[in-house]
Amino acid sequence: FFLAVAVGRAQVQQEPSAETTGGTAITINCSHPNVQGNTNIQWYRQLSDQAPHHIVTGFSGIKAVQDPPGRLSVAADRRSSSLWLARPRRGDAAVYYCAVG
């Protein structure tokens, strides 16, 4: 199945798309080189015909993600982050957004 990722505002950059087969882990990367101060990194996902839904907020280090199961990793310099999905299923096919703020 297909997992889509979308380019956010100019403050962040993402891959245009990524795909995996069901049950195979996938990493979605995001670059946010201008992140400043105490700004958090937010990740959202938008399932078909639904509004974006917040899935995790991070500041630094690694944080578990409950739904979909996985983890968020924020680089030490906070200029990039990655969302790792452990066992994505067909129902996890969506547009995944990262944002700063």
Side-chain angles (χ1 to χ4, degrees), residues 6-60:
V7 176
R9 295 182 180 176
Q11 292 182 335
V12 300
Q13 296 177 342
Q14 291 180 255
E15 306 141 330
S17 65
E19 64 182 285
T20 185
T21 56
T24 302
I26 189 170
T27 301
I28 304 170
N29 298 305
C30 181
S31 173
H32 27 83
N34 298 320
V35 67
Q36 297 178 359
N38 293 327
T39 305
N40 285 316
I41 311 303
Q42 314 278 346
W43 279 80
Y44 299 83
R45 87 171 166 178
Q46 185 173 16
L47 299 169
S48 180
D49 298 325
Q50 295 185 24
H53 173 74
H54 177 262
I55 54 175
V56 67
T57 297
F59 183 81
S60 63

Side-chain angles (χ1 to χ4, degrees), residues 65-85:
V65 179
Q66 301 302 316
D67 184 25
R71 67 176 175 255
L72 169 65
S73 300
V74 180
D77 63 6
R78 304 191 335 104
R79 294 167 56 92
S80 64
S81 62
S82 58
L83 180 66
W84 178 77
L85 305 181

